[in-house]
Amino acid sequence: MILIFFVSLYCIYRYVFGGNPKRLAGDDEVPESDKYAEYTKYVHERIEEIRKVPFQEIRMKARDGVTLYGRYYHRADGAPLVLMFHGYRSSCLRDGMGAFRFTEECGYNILMVDQRAHRNSGGKTITFGVKERWDCLDWIQYMRKLLGEDTKMILIGLSMGASTVLMTTDLDLPDNVKGIIADCGYSSPKDILKSVIKKMKLPVGPTYFLVRLSARIYGGFDPASVSTCDTLAVSKVPVLLIHGEEDDFVPCEMSRRNYEACASEKELFIVPGANHGMSYVTDMPRYVETFKGFLQRHFES
């Protein structure tokens, strides 16, 4: 019975936190659902455009020894840098395809990161931002050495990537980090796990206990060890929170909670009718205006 329990626990760990590349989204995959169907062609076209843009491959070691991979697009010496972080089992090209276009138009340098246990980065465990937030800090420090310590930077993330960048706000970010843009981020790893469990119509308490235990035993981390709301409570950098009002994966209420918790300068942009990660394509004019406005204000300050 004990053996069966631990085998079952390992299966839970692999299902929720495993980084098996065969299960991770390709650059051009869009969820197969009616709510995404009308945007599939546009997303594929944008990804193909990005693929044609020359970039430099960068690999660096995270503080725990995991090799991380990024695609660096150099526009101009001395230009500000935008660092982009994708979501759970997704890719930098898909999740960053909207921001890439108008960020490039502004003449900023761009780093698109493969999160640990995704695509070209190493690691076997997706930790919902618990370890990824330290990876983000490592990328900031690496790019400061590469481009100069005074290089202005803004962190951008979608879904898990959004919470990853938001959870850096208690890590003593250097002064050259001028802001954070977080699209459909969750209020904590614990909250999103419980929300998904509830959506799956499983008993939340017992199921979350097993999920958390599997992460601690096999993944070497605790999903309850960090909260986006808690880190934002000590934030010193300006934050723009974006969320689709009809998000059925990460509830919009989570961004509202993040907004209320945030101690620094903050903006909240809710997009009516937008589902998870679809705010950009749902209301492109307002999204671009809000996003670019934030970049320009804080890179010029």
Side-chain angles (χ1 to χ4, degrees), residues 3-301:
L3 178 61
I4 293 173
F5 174 77
F6 281 101
V7 169
S8 300
L9 208 60
Y10 180 75
C11 291
I12 293 172
Y13 156 75
R14 290 296 304 161
Y15 180 77
V16 180
F17 305 108
N20 183 346
K22 293 181 179 179
R23 295 184 57 199
L24 304 185
D27 289 337
D28 58 357
E29 289 185 14
V30 178
E32 296 180 0
S33 170
D34 291 342
K35 59 180 176 265
Y36 297 109
E38 64 180 297
Y39 306 116
T40 301
K41 183 175 183 293
Y42 176 79
V43 172
H44 287 174
E45 289 174 348
R46 287 294 305 120
I47 290 172
E48 286 306 314
E49 288 179 15
I50 299 173
R51 282 196 176 122
K52 296 174 184 177
V53 180
F55 66 92
Q56 175 187 347
E57 291 186 319
I58 295 180
R59 287 179 171 84
M60 68 111 180
K61 290 281 188 181
R63 63 191 60 213
D64 62 354
V66 172
T67 299
L68 301 176
Y69 174 90
R71 303 161 67 104
Y72 175 61
Y73 300 83
H74 187 78
R75 291 290 161 268
D77 293 344
L81 174 69
V82 172
L83 296 87
M84 299 183 182
F85 294 79
H86 64 76
Y88 176 76
R89 289 185 176 149
S90 188
S91 71
C92 59
L93 292 190
R94 190 185 81 182
D95 287 356
M97 61 91 191
F100 185 93
R101 167 177 280 181
F102 47 83
T103 301
E104 185 185 37
E105 289 172 354
C106 290
Y108 304 141
N109 297 323
I110 302 168
L111 178 70
M112 302 182 85
V113 171
D114 282 356
Q115 298 252 49
R116 63 170 55 220
H118 289 79
R119 306 293 291 171
N120 296 301
S121 284
K124 298 179 180 180
T125 305
I126 303 168
T127 73
F128 285 70
V130 174
K131 293 185 179 180
E132 289 86 353
R133 72 195 192 114
W134 292 101
D135 296 343
C136 180
L137 185 60
D138 289 342
W139 275 116
I140 292 168
Q141 294 170 343
Y142 182 91
M143 297 307 290
R144 288 183 77 200
K145 292 178 182 178
L146 182 68
L147 301 178
E149 293 188 357
D150 295 330
T151 301
K152 294 181 178 181
M153 301 180 184
I154 284 182
L155 313 177
I156 296 173
L158 185 140
S159 193
M160 187 186 81
S163 293
T164 295
V165 296
L166 291 174
M167 288 192 289
T168 65
T169 51
D170 69 340
L171 299 182
D172 195 22
L173 293 173
D175 292 339
N176 63 304
V177 176
K178 299 300 181 181
I180 293 174
I181 301 177
D183 187 335
C184 60
Y186 41 79
S187 48
S188 72
K190 175 182 176 180
D191 289 345
I192 190 58
L193 288 169
K194 285 190 170 184
S195 177
V196 173
I197 290 168
K198 183 177 181 180
K199 185 180 176 183
M200 295 173 69
K201 301 188 184 305
L202 297 170
V204 176
T207 305
Y208 173 71
F209 171 81
L210 293 174
V211 169
R212 182 185 180 191
L213 186 61
S214 78
R216 297 181 70 175
I217 293 176
Y218 297 110
F221 79 101
D222 184 356
S225 63
V226 62
S227 161
T228 316
C229 288
D230 288 347
T231 60
L232 283 171
V234 295
S235 175
K236 297 178 181 178
V237 297
V239 173
L240 168 60
L241 299 163
I242 302 171
H243 217 116
E245 199 164 35
E246 304 304 319
D247 194 325
D248 62 2
F249 183 67
V250 178
C252 185
E253 177 60 27
M254 290 194 181
S255 275
R256 292 191 174 98
R257 287 162 60 186
N258 287 337
Y259 178 80
E260 290 299 322
C262 185
S264 60
E265 179 184 337
K266 57 191 177 182
E267 300 176 48
L268 178 62
F269 175 43
I270 303 297
V271 181
N275 211 300
H276 185 65
M278 306 304 288
S279 293
Y280 168 64
V281 291
T282 301
D283 191 348
M284 204 173 297
R286 288 181 64 224
Y287 191 100
V288 173
E289 179 184 10
T290 302
F291 202 112
K292 286 179 71 171
F294 184 91
L295 289 174
Q296 291 166 348
R297 283 196 308 279
H298 294 291
F299 273 151
E300 293 170 5
S301 62

